[in-house]
Amino acid sequence: MHIPTLKYQSQAVAKLYFIAALCLFSGQIIFGLTLGLQYVIGDLFFPAIPFNIARMVHTNLLIVWLLFGFMGAAYFMVPEESETELWSPLFAKILFWVFLAAGVATILGYLLVPYASLAKWTGNDFLGTMGREFLEQPLPTKVGIVLVCLGFLFNISMTVLKGRKTAISLVLLLGLWGLALMFLFSFVNPDNLVRDKMYWWFVVHLWVEGTWELIMASLLAFVLIKTTGVDREVIDKWMYMIVAFALISGILGTGHHFYFIGLPGYWHWIGGVFSALEPIPFFMMTLFAFNMVQRRRREHPNQAAVLWAVGTAVIAFLGAGVWGFIHTLSTVNYYTHGSQVTAAHGHLAFYGAYVLVVLAIISYSMPLMRGRQANPMRAQRAEMWSFWIMSIGMAVMVLALSGAGILQIWLQRLPTSGAMGFMATQDQLRFFYWVRVAGGVMFLIGLITYLSSFFIGPAADEQEVAAIPGGRLQRA
């Protein structure tokens, strides 16, 4: 039996990154379920894992596993797009182990060391960068992230420079370099609270509603080219339009975070107008995905990857577009900011825009790195079931959080007199929080189903489709 190989052997480096990403993703979901239970069982795991630590681990794992996913995607895509081997596979492996060790050490630090002691022991008195949501990492970890990102970008950029330049690889590079440059604002922690929040949003918003959208567009375009056979020129034109709208609306749309932090009032108009435009690139992405699938020239054997790709576009539009628009205007945001409505938007947007696109590229590339064109149909059916289970579980969570947010606003924020206090309001939301836990359990079941698909072989009467050099297929 022929042992299949990748077109470029250095693409196999991506497997390490994808395995780490899925392991960290699993940890994120476990801590997320723990958080959901702590909303209704307040002393669960206390004092070993208090709520603030569990939340910090949950959000930091989200960021780290997505970064592993983006890096793995770049290592797989860029050699194929550039038609050349990766500049240094060894360097990529070294950076992987450095990044993984730093990430694991940081999470263990959160769990085992009091946060104030961790800050003291890691030089926060020298350069104070800790204590801000999503940017809680100790100073050595932040420095390590910068060094790993610079090494990764050097490796990827050198590969692109020595090979073919395509729209997909250039947009991917633009997004990855933007991601790294925006992270530098995490080192800026001024005493002035207004400037502090402004610089903090430079990282958080211009990541998730700016540079990450470029990465998502390039990953989605790559998967659709490979699975549909549609002309690259057609996909490139769509991608350029999506990226242009994403940058125009995303950069000035940062203003919707400036409404009530002390910046000038004109941000109410700028933030409102351009935030209202932010759903447009996600709607275009939905049209793009469906259009490409309808125009496909072939039925690709990896139908699971097609489902993840189309699901990315649809759920990203709902989460980032619709749920974002619901409370993005200043007159509405005045009441909803920091409520459970925000949590509903955040969960659905991250899942739709970034979780699904990373799972799409893993679904497409992992079979190739394991020596086959696509997973056996039994494995693909499990994978497609996992998409629906996770997506329905996420929908249950999001609807529960939306209901909780509406009731929270009604009881606590709308009344001009006699408004409930925070904790009294939280007690009225317990039903929604239990429903959120049920959705979280369902999501975890979907994730376990997804992971199980990697271990499912072909049925007894099923012939496995294997990839061999030169683009031909072989029945194994």
Side-chain angles (χ1 to χ4, degrees):
M1 174 177 164
H2 181 83
I3 303 299
T5 58
L6 287 167
K7 185 175 182 182
Y8 299 98
Q9 292 303 306
S10 56
Q11 290 177 282
V13 171
K15 186 188 290 188
L16 281 175
Y17 285 82
F18 289 151
I19 292 171
L22 293 175
C23 291
L24 295 172
F25 180 31
S26 303
Q28 184 218 342
I29 300 310
I30 291 169
F31 275 94
L33 193 56
T34 301
L35 284 171
L37 287 168
Q38 286 180 336
Y39 265 88
V40 288
I41 308 172
D43 58 354
L44 182 70
F45 300 137
F46 186 84
I49 307 177
F51 179 86
N52 65 309
I53 298 300
R55 186 181 188 278
M56 193 159 57
V57 173
H58 177 63
T59 55
N60 277 238
L61 281 173
L62 168 69
I63 294 168
V64 172
W65 91 257
L66 286 176
L67 290 178
F68 269 109
F70 291 159
M71 290 179 179
Y75 282 132
F76 183 85
M77 289 165 53
V78 167
E80 197 159 327
E81 287 293 298
S82 302
E83 296 182 344
T84 181
E85 293 287 359
L86 189 64
W87 184 76
S88 176
L90 177 61
F91 192 33
K93 291 178 182 178
I94 292 171
L95 290 176
F96 166 80
W97 290 110
V98 171
F99 192 24
L100 185 63
V104 171
T106 301
I107 297 301
L108 290 176
Y110 293 155
L111 292 171
L112 301 177
V113 181
Y115 193 67
S117 300
L118 187 65
K120 182 179 179 181
W121 296 346
T122 56
N124 198 60
D125 292 337
F126 169 70
L127 180 62
T129 67
M130 295 174 67
R132 292 178 293 172
E133 188 181 9
F134 299 117
L135 304 179
E136 298 96 344
Q137 305 87 15
L139 181 61
T141 302
K142 285 191 175 74
V143 173
I145 290 172
V146 170
L147 294 176
V148 167
C149 284
L150 287 176
F152 158 72
L153 287 167
F154 178 78
N155 206 352
I156 291 296
S157 300
M158 291 299 290
T159 307
V160 172
L161 287 173
K162 74 172 183 173
R164 182 182 67 155
K165 283 75 175 172
T166 67
I168 288 177
S169 60
L170 294 176
V171 168
L172 178 65
L173 265 184
L174 181 62
L176 291 169
W177 273 103
L179 180 157
L181 292 173
M182 287 300 109
F183 185 71
L184 296 178
F185 284 102
S186 68
F187 290 91
V188 182
N189 192 3
D191 293 331
N192 183 291
L193 185 60
V194 176
R195 290 181 60 223
D196 166 42
K197 294 301 292 182
M198 183 174 69
Y199 292 139
W200 183 80
W201 282 118
F202 283 0
V203 181
V204 176
H205 175 99
L206 291 177
W207 263 13
V208 301
E209 296 170 74
T211 58
W212 285 26
E213 289 187 19
L214 273 61
I215 297 169
M216 175 177 62
S218 60
L219 266 59
L220 192 60
F222 178 83
V223 172
L224 289 172
I225 283 177
K226 297 300 180 182
T227 57
T228 65
V230 172
D231 288 341
R232 182 178 288 269
E233 292 77 11
V234 176
I235 287 181
D236 286 351
K237 288 174 184 176
W238 274 92
M239 187 173 63
Y240 283 137
M241 288 193 296
I242 291 168
V243 166
F245 269 94
L247 287 176
I248 292 168
S249 62
I251 293 173
L252 288 173
T254 312
H256 72 240
H257 298 299
F258 296 165
Y259 290 153
F260 310 116
I261 66 171
L263 289 171
Y266 54 73
W267 283 110
H268 286 227
W269 286 100
I270 297 174
V273 169
F274 285 93
S275 293
L277 297 176
E278 284 193 66
I280 293 176
F282 290 99
F283 181 65
M284 293 172 68
M285 202 169 291
T286 305
L287 294 178
F288 164 57
F290 276 100
N291 193 18
M292 295 308 106
V293 171
Q294 287 176 351
R295 296 173 62 169
R296 63 183 178 268
R297 293 181 171 182
R298 62 172 180 264
E299 286 291 337
H300 196 275
N302 193 338
Q303 288 302 299
V306 176
L307 176 63
W308 290 111
V310 174
T312 298
V314 174
I315 301 180
F317 170 64
L318 292 173
V322 177
W323 254 259
F325 180 74
I326 282 172
H327 70 135
T328 195
L329 301 178
S330 61
T331 50
V332 179
N333 190 260
Y334 179 79
Y335 296 100
T336 62
H337 187 77
S339 70
Q340 296 298 334
V341 174
T342 304
H345 159 58
H347 279 78
L348 192 57
F350 263 102
Y351 173 67
Y354 303 120
V355 173
L356 287 181
V357 80
V358 170
L359 294 181
I361 189 69
I362 291 175
S363 178
Y364 171 75
S365 63
M366 193 64 89
L368 295 170
M369 290 186 285
R370 298 173 73 189
R372 50 174 75 113
Q373 179 77 355
N375 284 328
M377 280 311 301
R378 285 203 312 171
Q380 287 195 52
R381 279 194 288 270
E383 203 177 330
M384 289 189 274
W385 268 108
S386 74
F387 167 82
W388 290 110
I389 297 169
M390 281 196 280
S391 298
I392 294 170
M394 178 58 67
V396 171
M397 283 195 288
V398 168
L399 291 174
L401 286 169
S402 300
I406 292 168
L407 184 58
Q408 178 184 9
I409 293 159
W410 179 262
L411 296 176
Q412 183 185 342
R413 299 186 176 187
L414 277 178
T416 54
S417 62
M420 278 192 180
F422 178 81
M423 291 307 296
T425 301
Q426 294 299 305
D427 196 47
Q428 298 298 313
L429 307 181
R430 289 179 64 85
F431 168 75
F432 293 104
Y433 290 153
W434 276 114
V435 175
R436 194 247 309 258
V437 169
V441 171
M442 190 173 183
F443 191 95
L444 180 61
I445 292 170
L447 176 59
I448 293 170
T449 305
Y450 174 75
L451 296 176
S452 72
S453 70
F454 288 94
F455 304 97
I456 297 175
D461 59 345
E462 181 182 352
Q463 286 186 311
E464 189 173 347
V465 181
I468 64 175
R472 291 171 289 121
L473 301 181
Q474 171 176 295
R475 295 289 175 184

